[in-house]
Amino acid sequence: MKVLVVMDEFLRYAFVPLVDFSIGSEELVEHLEKIGGKDGFPRWIRCDNGPEFRAYPFVKFAEAKRIKIHYIDPGKPFQNGFSESFIGKFRGECLVGYEYENLREAREKISEWFRFYNEERPHSALGYKTPGEFYKQWRLSNGV
């Protein structure tokens, strides 16, 4: 099972992930289109060097949306420290030690964990607001 995590590092908001047995560049682009269609697209994306991020559909998508791609150097996850920290929490609290019966159950449980993370779990970096609260406040104050 693969899980594609998309997070806004400033807002600390983790969008509902893409969960499947394999995730290609086309699926990645489709998922990003859904996310970006709501609030717009970012100016840049930080990602690893996975084949889905190097493939033509993703690169073409980024060019069309005027998104700069920042690839972290291979073998240097500390260049993506915030995301690595988040993924470590997600892995430890939602993946390790759990056996999901099927993909549907995995998607439900993972989506529930993301809802908990965004709506119930306060963060010190956000003034002890949840990412959801901070996100709503930011949108209001920025006319989004």
Side-chain angles (χ1 to χ4, degrees):
M1 181 177 70
K2 290 190 127 199
V3 180
L4 174 73
V5 175
V6 178
M7 172 173 279
D8 184 307
E9 291 181 5
F10 170 70
L11 300 171
R12 304 290 203 267
Y13 191 86
F15 296 91
V16 174
L18 179 59
V19 180
D20 214 326
F21 291 119
S22 69
I23 300 172
S25 194
E26 294 87 5
E27 292 85 9
L28 166 63
V29 168
E30 209 174 280
H31 190 64
L32 294 174
E33 286 279 8
K34 288 178 191 173
I35 293 169
K38 181 180 177 189
D39 292 325
F41 296 96
R43 292 185 184 156
W44 59 274
I45 293 176
R46 182 191 336 255
C47 56
D48 63 22
N49 288 276
E52 64 275 12
F53 295 111
R54 289 284 186 180
Y56 180 73
F58 175 69
V59 174
K60 183 179 175 183
F61 161 80
E63 287 174 359
K65 302 295 183 190
R66 296 187 177 139
I67 301 169
K68 293 179 185 174
I69 304 171
H70 176 78
Y71 295 102
I72 63 170
D73 293 329
K76 298 193 177 179
F78 58 85
Q79 292 178 345
N80 200 10
F82 179 76
S83 293
E84 291 296 324
S85 174
F86 171 81
I87 290 167
K89 289 179 181 103
F90 166 60
R91 184 181 297 119
E93 295 176 17
C94 191
L95 298 178
V96 174
Y98 292 91
E99 288 189 30
Y100 299 111
E101 293 289 323
N102 52 48
L103 193 57
R104 181 188 55 75
E105 180 186 7
R107 286 176 176 153
E108 288 173 3
K109 298 292 184 185
I110 290 169
S111 291
E112 176 57 28
W113 188 89
F114 272 68
R115 188 207 58 76
F116 167 77
Y117 176 86
N118 286 323
E119 303 301 330
E120 295 183 36
R121 187 179 190 151
H123 293 259
S124 60
L126 303 176
Y128 293 96
K129 292 181 174 85
T130 67
E133 291 169 329
F134 190 77
Y135 184 39
K136 288 173 192 165
Q137 179 184 12
W138 181 87
R139 286 181 57 155
L140 286 172
S141 64
N142 288 283
V144 178

Coordinates of all heavy atoms in Angstrom, one line a residue, residues 15-53:
F15 N -3.7 17.6 3.7 CA -4.9 17.3 2.8 C -5.1 15.8 2.9 O -4.2 15.0 3.1 CB -4.6 17.8 1.4 CG -4.5 19.3 1.4 CD1 -3.3 19.9 1.5 CD2 -5.6 20.1 1.2 CE1 -3.2 21.3 1.4 CE2 -5.5 21.4 1.2 CZ -4.3 22.0 1.3
V16 N -6.4 15.4 2.6 CA -6.7 14.0 2.6 C -5.8 13.3 1.6 O -5.6 13.7 0.5 CB -8.2 13.8 2.1 CG1 -8.5 12.3 2.0 CG2 -9.1 14.4 3.1
P17 N -5.1 12.2 2.1 CA -4.1 11.6 1.2 C -4.7 10.7 0.1 O -5.9 10.3 0.2 CB -3.3 10.8 2.2 CG -4.4 10.4 3.3 CD -5.3 11.6 3.4
L18 N -3.9 10.4 -0.8 CA -4.2 9.4 -1.8 C -3.6 8.1 -1.3 O -2.5 8.0 -1.0 CB -3.6 9.8 -3.2 CG -3.8 8.9 -4.4 CD1 -5.3 8.7 -4.7 CD2 -3.0 9.5 -5.6
V19 N -4.5 7.1 -1.2 CA -4.1 5.8 -0.7 C -4.5 4.7 -1.8 O -5.6 4.6 -2.2 CB -4.9 5.4 0.6 CG1 -4.4 4.1 1.1 CG2 -4.6 6.5 1.6
D20 N -3.5 4.0 -2.2 CA -3.7 2.9 -3.3 C -2.6 1.9 -3.2 O -1.6 2.1 -2.5 CB -3.8 3.6 -4.6 CG -4.8 2.9 -5.5 OD1 -4.9 1.6 -5.4 OD2 -5.5 3.5 -6.3
F21 N -2.7 0.9 -4.1 CA -1.6 -0.1 -4.1 C -0.4 0.4 -4.9 O 0.7 0.0 -4.7 CB -2.1 -1.4 -4.7 CG -3.1 -2.1 -3.8 CD1 -4.4 -2.3 -4.1 CD2 -2.7 -2.5 -2.5 CE1 -5.3 -3.0 -3.3 CE2 -3.6 -3.1 -1.6 CZ -4.9 -3.3 -2.0
S22 N -0.7 1.3 -5.9 CA 0.4 2.0 -6.6 C -0.1 3.4 -7.0 O -1.3 3.6 -7.1 CB 0.8 1.2 -7.8 OG -0.2 1.2 -8.8
I23 N 0.8 4.3 -7.0 CA 0.5 5.7 -7.4 C 1.5 6.2 -8.4 O 2.7 6.3 -8.2 CB 0.6 6.6 -6.1 CG1 -0.4 6.1 -5.1 CG2 0.3 8.1 -6.5 CD1 -0.3 6.8 -3.7
G24 N 0.9 6.4 -9.6 CA 1.7 6.8 -10.7 C 1.6 8.3 -10.9 O 0.9 9.0 -10.1
S25 N 2.3 8.9 -11.8 CA 2.3 10.3 -12.0 C 0.9 10.8 -12.4 O 0.5 11.9 -12.0 CB 3.4 10.7 -13.1 OG 3.6 12.0 -13.1
E26 N 0.2 10.1 -13.2 CA -1.1 10.5 -13.6 C -2.1 10.6 -12.4 O -2.8 11.6 -12.2 CB -1.8 9.5 -14.6 CG -1.1 9.5 -16.0 CD 0.1 8.6 -16.0 OE1 0.3 7.8 -15.0 OE2 0.8 8.6 -17.0
E27 N -2.0 9.6 -11.5 CA -2.8 9.7 -10.3 C -2.4 10.8 -9.4 O -3.2 11.5 -8.7 CB -2.7 8.3 -9.5 CG -3.4 7.2 -10.2 CD -2.5 6.5 -11.2 OE1 -1.2 6.8 -11.3 OE2 -3.0 5.6 -12.0
L28 N -1.1 11.1 -9.3 CA -0.6 12.2 -8.5 C -1.2 13.5 -9.0 O -1.7 14.3 -8.3 CB 1.0 12.2 -8.6 CG 1.7 13.5 -8.1 CD1 1.4 13.7 -6.7 CD2 3.2 13.3 -8.4
V29 N -1.1 13.7 -10.3 CA -1.6 14.9 -10.9 C -3.1 15.1 -10.7 O -3.6 16.2 -10.3 CB -1.3 15.0 -12.5 CG1 -2.1 16.1 -13.1 CG2 0.2 15.2 -12.7
E30 N -3.9 14.0 -10.9 CA -5.3 14.0 -10.6 C -5.6 14.4 -9.2 O -6.5 15.3 -8.9 CB -5.9 12.6 -10.9 CG -7.3 12.5 -11.3 CD -7.6 11.1 -11.7 OE1 -7.3 10.7 -12.8 OE2 -8.3 10.5 -10.8
H31 N -4.8 13.9 -8.2 CA -5.0 14.2 -6.8 C -4.7 15.7 -6.6 O -5.4 16.4 -5.9 CB -4.1 13.3 -6.0 CG -4.4 13.4 -4.5 ND1 -5.6 13.0 -3.9 CD2 -3.6 13.8 -3.5 CE1 -5.6 13.2 -2.6 NE2 -4.4 13.7 -2.3
L32 N -3.6 16.2 -7.1 CA -3.2 17.6 -6.9 C -4.2 18.5 -7.6 O -4.5 19.6 -7.1 CB -1.8 17.8 -7.5 CG -0.7 17.1 -6.8 CD1 0.6 17.3 -7.5 CD2 -0.6 17.6 -5.3
E33 N -4.8 18.1 -8.7 CA -5.9 18.9 -9.3 C -7.1 19.1 -8.4 O -7.6 20.2 -8.3 CB -6.3 18.3 -10.7 CG -5.3 18.5 -11.8 CD -5.3 19.8 -12.5 OE1 -6.0 20.7 -12.0 OE2 -4.6 19.9 -13.5
K34 N -7.5 18.0 -7.7 CA -8.6 18.1 -6.8 C -8.3 19.0 -5.6 O -9.1 19.8 -5.3 CB -8.9 16.7 -6.2 CG -9.5 15.8 -7.2 CD -9.8 14.4 -6.6 CE -10.2 13.4 -7.6 NZ -10.2 12.0 -7.1
I35 N -7.1 18.9 -5.1 CA -6.7 19.7 -4.0 C -6.6 21.2 -4.4 O -7.1 22.1 -3.8 CB -5.3 19.3 -3.4 CG1 -5.5 17.9 -2.7 CG2 -4.8 20.3 -2.4 CD1 -4.2 17.2 -2.3
G36 N -5.9 21.5 -5.5 CA -5.7 22.8 -6.0 C -7.0 23.5 -6.5 O -7.1 24.7 -6.4
G37 N -7.9 22.7 -6.9 CA -9.2 23.2 -7.4 C -10.0 23.9 -6.3 O -10.8 24.8 -6.6
K38 N -9.7 23.6 -5.1 CA -10.4 24.2 -4.0 C -9.9 25.6 -3.6 O -10.6 26.5 -3.5 CB -10.3 23.3 -2.7 CG -11.1 23.8 -1.5 CD -11.0 22.8 -0.4 CE -11.6 23.4 0.8 NZ -11.4 22.6 2.0
D39 N -8.6 25.7 -3.4 CA -7.9 26.9 -2.9 C -6.8 27.5 -3.8 O -6.2 28.4 -3.4 CB -7.4 26.7 -1.5 CG -8.4 26.5 -0.4 OD1 -9.5 27.1 -0.5 OD2 -8.2 25.7 0.5
G40 N -6.6 26.9 -4.9 CA -5.6 27.3 -5.8 C -4.3 26.5 -5.6 O -4.2 25.6 -4.7
F41 N -3.4 26.7 -6.5 CA -2.1 25.9 -6.5 C -1.0 26.6 -5.8 O -1.0 27.9 -5.8 CB -1.8 25.5 -7.9 CG -2.8 24.7 -8.6 CD1 -3.8 25.2 -9.3 CD2 -2.8 23.3 -8.3 CE1 -4.8 24.4 -9.9 CE2 -3.8 22.5 -8.9 CZ -4.8 23.1 -9.7
P42 N -0.1 25.9 -5.2 CA 1.1 26.6 -4.6 C 2.0 27.1 -5.6 O 2.0 26.8 -6.8 CB 1.7 25.4 -3.8 CG 1.4 24.2 -4.6 CD 0.0 24.4 -5.2
R43 N 2.9 28.0 -5.1 CA 4.0 28.5 -6.0 C 5.1 27.5 -6.2 O 5.8 27.5 -7.2 CB 4.6 29.8 -5.4 CG 3.6 30.9 -5.4 CD 4.3 32.2 -4.9 NE 3.3 33.2 -4.8 CZ 3.4 34.3 -4.1 NH1 4.4 34.4 -3.3 NH2 2.4 35.2 -4.0
W44 N 5.3 26.6 -5.2 CA 6.3 25.6 -5.3 C 5.9 24.3 -4.5 O 5.1 24.4 -3.6 CB 7.7 26.1 -4.9 CG 7.8 26.5 -3.4 CD1 7.5 27.8 -3.0 CD2 8.1 25.8 -2.3 NE1 7.6 27.9 -1.6 CE2 8.0 26.6 -1.2 CE3 8.5 24.5 -2.1 CZ2 8.3 26.2 0.1 CZ3 8.7 24.0 -0.8 CH2 8.7 24.9 0.3
I45 N 6.5 23.2 -4.9 CA 6.2 21.9 -4.3 C 7.6 21.3 -3.9 O 8.5 21.3 -4.8 CB 5.5 20.9 -5.2 CG1 4.1 21.4 -5.5 CG2 5.5 19.5 -4.7 CD1 3.3 20.6 -6.4
R46 N 7.7 20.9 -2.7 CA 9.0 20.2 -2.3 C 8.6 18.7 -2.3 O 7.6 18.3 -1.7 CB 9.4 20.6 -0.9 CG 10.7 20.0 -0.4 CD 11.0 20.1 1.1 NE 10.4 21.3 1.7 CZ 11.1 22.4 2.0 NH1 12.3 22.5 1.8 NH2 10.5 23.4 2.6
C47 N 9.5 17.9 -2.9 CA 9.2 16.5 -3.0 C 10.5 15.7 -3.1 O 11.6 16.3 -3.3 CB 8.3 16.2 -4.2 SG 8.9 16.7 -5.8
D48 N 10.4 14.4 -2.9 CA 11.5 13.5 -3.1 C 11.7 13.2 -4.6 O 11.1 13.8 -5.5 CB 11.4 12.3 -2.3 CG 10.3 11.4 -2.7 OD1 9.8 11.5 -3.8 OD2 9.8 10.6 -1.8
N49 N 12.6 12.3 -4.9 CA 12.9 12.0 -6.3 C 12.2 10.7 -6.8 O 12.7 10.1 -7.7 CB 14.4 11.8 -6.4 CG 15.1 13.2 -6.3 OD1 15.3 13.9 -7.3 ND2 15.6 13.5 -5.1
G50 N 11.1 10.4 -6.2 CA 10.3 9.3 -6.7 C 9.9 9.4 -8.1 O 9.8 10.5 -8.7
P51 N 9.7 8.2 -8.8 CA 9.5 8.3 -10.2 C 8.2 9.0 -10.6 O 8.1 9.7 -11.6 CB 9.3 6.8 -10.6 CG 9.1 6.1 -9.3 CD 9.8 6.9 -8.2
E52 N 7.2 9.0 -9.7 CA 6.0 9.8 -9.9 C 6.2 11.3 -10.0 O 5.5 12.0 -10.6 CB 4.9 9.4 -8.9 CG 5.1 9.8 -7.5 CD 6.0 8.8 -6.7 OE1 6.5 7.8 -7.3 OE2 6.0 8.9 -5.5
F53 N 7.2 11.8 -9.3 CA 7.5 13.2 -9.2 C 8.5 13.6 -10.4 O 8.7 14.8 -10.6 CB 8.2 13.6 -7.9 CG 7.2 13.4 -6.8 CD1 7.4 12.4 -5.8 CD2 6.1 14.2 -6.6 CE1 6.5 12.3 -4.7 CE2 5.2 14.1 -5.6 CZ 5.5 13.1 -4.6

